[in-house]
Amino acid sequence: MGYKVVVVGATGNVGREMLNILAERQFPVDEITALASRRSLGTEVSFGDKTLKTKDLDTFDFTGWDIALFAIGSDATKTYAPKAAAAGCVVIDNSSLYRYDPDIPLVVPEVNPEAVEGYAKRNIIANPNCSTAQMVVALKPLHDRARIKRVVVSTYQSVSGAGKEGMDELWEQTKAVYNPTKDVPAKKFQKEIAFNVIPHIDVFMEDGSTKEEWKMVVETKKIVDPSIKVTATCVRVPVFVGHAESINIEFEEFLDEDEARDILREAPGIMVIDKREPGGYVTPKECVGDFATFISRIRQDSTIENGLNLWCVSDNLRKGAALNAVQIAETLGNRVLKKG
């Protein structure tokens, strides 16, 4: 007996990836439905070797369904997630709407799998921000060994984090560089993204940080440890898929780089590729389509007493979004629902 699963927002980048990953990981699905807005009604999406036609989210009855994976943004989620939850369907939400609600667990299964058991308060589990998800996978096993005091992170985030519109804008602007007769002004991003980097993701806050940077701070505290200090600078780069992060970590006690490398090699969800030679590291392009979070460039920081630097790369549509949501569903099934 498997699960009855709903994918909400099935025609978007993340929704399609959720369907792909459910099939790839052979999640025990008894029945699956793809939902979308009325303007996308009837659009065909793939689930393994099957083709699904999207149904209307507005009229769908969630009664009798076990799990709903939501990938529709905060505004629509605010309307439909409570309906699904009230009908007894557990919502796993990819938007930012519920991440900071103390009654709703924020889960990365490699880091805090036990948190899924808190779903019962609201029948909702939140998926973290893409940039946070890959970072905390790397931080947790190191924190368990040497207690992290402070993290300084600079991100290099791909345009797919801004959805299909972001990917289209990079593509069109790049073509326009080679065809100067066509002008493609910035719409999705604040400045031209082709052959450029933009130190601005999400809205600015009063202290000068952006909302994306704030998310990394508060989510790391909620998922890993509230005592960890985090400062972030989040940057959009002209890469289609795959987020990269340069992470500087200060520990309470000394942690040798070789021991850190061994710890990370043994940690769930991590692949260490760290050769001190040209090409002995992973770039965003190489991680696309992979489940792992890749760690490279592990080295001691001699400017502080107990410091390490590392390079962290992951497919943001997978670990940063769809994969983590499916892993939450797997964890929920194994620890609580126990079907399949």
Side-chain angles (χ1 to χ4, degrees):
M1 187 75 176
Y3 296 94
K4 295 181 69 176
V5 178
V6 183
V7 175
V8 183
T11 59
N13 285 346
V14 174
R16 288 177 187 271
E17 200 66 16
M18 285 173 169
L19 288 165
N20 290 339
I21 293 169
L22 285 165
E24 281 179 40
R25 292 174 72 90
Q26 298 182 324
F27 187 81
V29 171
D30 232 17
E31 189 176 344
I32 190 160
T33 289
L35 302 183
S37 63
R38 285 187 179 165
R39 68 175 181 274
S40 301
L41 199 60
T43 301
E44 293 187 344
V45 292
S46 297
F47 173 65
D49 56 3
K50 298 178 182 177
T51 300
L52 308 175
K53 281 192 174 182
T54 57
K55 297 180 180 178
D56 184 8
L57 169 60
D58 200 42
T59 58
F60 187 77
D61 184 0
F62 287 90
T63 304
W65 292 83
D66 297 304
I67 298 170
L69 304 179
F70 269 64
I72 54 173
S74 295
D75 290 342
T77 298
K78 193 172 186 178
T79 299
Y80 297 103
K83 292 181 180 179
C89 180
V90 181
V91 171
I92 300 171
D93 176 37
N94 194 60
S95 80
S96 62
L97 181 64
Y98 295 112
R99 291 174 188 160
Y100 318 110
D101 188 319
D103 289 335
I104 291 177
L106 180 65
V107 178
V108 175
E110 296 94 335
V111 178
N112 61 338
E114 69 288 343
V116 296
E117 295 172 22
Y119 84 96
K121 287 183 180 178
R122 301 273 295 279
N123 236 22
I124 297 171
I125 301 171
N127 209 23
N129 187 42
C130 51
S131 51
T132 306
Q134 68 188 69
M135 184 173 76
V136 297
V137 169
L139 295 182
K140 181 59 163 60
L142 301 177
H143 182 62
D144 287 346
R145 163 61 182 82
R147 304 296 296 175
I148 294 171
K149 289 171 61 177
R150 181 172 184 253
V151 175
V152 181
V153 57
S154 297
T155 71
Y156 307 77
Q157 295 180 225
S158 66
V159 295
S160 58
K164 184 178 181 298
E165 291 176 346
M167 298 178 78
D168 289 346
E169 190 159 307
L170 173 57
W171 175 243
E172 294 300 327
Q173 286 181 353
T174 301
K175 288 193 295 181
V177 170
Y178 297 101
N179 178 20
T181 59
K182 184 181 180 184
D183 182 43
V184 183
K187 291 182 181 177
K188 186 65 179 178
F189 302 112
Q190 302 80 13
K191 299 193 177 192
E192 183 175 304
I193 185 61
F195 301 93
N196 199 13
V197 296
I198 304 172
H200 176 191
I201 300 176
D202 213 324
V203 298
F204 273 96
M205 304 182 74
E206 284 187 13
D207 67 352
S209 62
T210 66
K211 187 77 175 288
E212 185 82 358
E213 292 155 358
W214 175 83
K215 289 173 187 175
M216 293 193 76
V217 174
V218 296
E219 291 176 19
T220 300
K221 288 176 176 290
K222 185 171 179 178
I223 296 167
V224 184
D225 188 331
S227 69
I228 296 176
K229 295 178 180 179
V230 181
T231 182
T233 300
C234 293
V235 182
R236 190 73 72 188
V237 297
V239 170
F240 283 108
V241 178
H243 287 358
E245 297 171 349
S246 171
I247 307 174
N248 176 266
I249 310 167
E250 183 180 359
F251 297 91
E252 289 185 4
E253 57 186 272
F254 180 77
L255 177 60
D256 178 76
E257 63 187 39
D258 292 326
E259 184 182 355
R261 199 174 286 109
D262 290 340
I263 289 169
L264 291 168
R265 281 199 177 108
E266 296 298 318
I270 289 175
M271 183 76 71
V272 176
I273 308 291
D274 189 18
K275 297 178 182 178
R276 292 180 174 178
E277 60 187 45
Y281 41 80
V282 177
T283 62
K285 190 172 183 179
E286 295 162 296
C287 78
V288 174
D290 209 297
F291 289 141
T293 295
F294 292 89
I295 306 297
S296 309
R297 303 290 319 279
I298 303 165
R299 61 205 188 278
Q300 228 76 48
D301 176 5
S302 61
T303 68
I304 52 176
E305 190 173 351
N306 302 314
L308 283 176
N309 290 301
L310 56 85
W311 175 251
C312 175
V313 177
S314 188
D315 181 332
N316 57 294
L317 296 179
R318 291 205 153 207
K319 186 55 194 169
L323 170 61
N324 200 73
V326 173
Q327 288 176 308
I328 291 172
E330 291 169 346
T331 306
L332 180 71
N334 293 336
R335 295 180 76 106
V336 182
L337 303 182
K338 300 186 186 297
K339 283 188 180 183

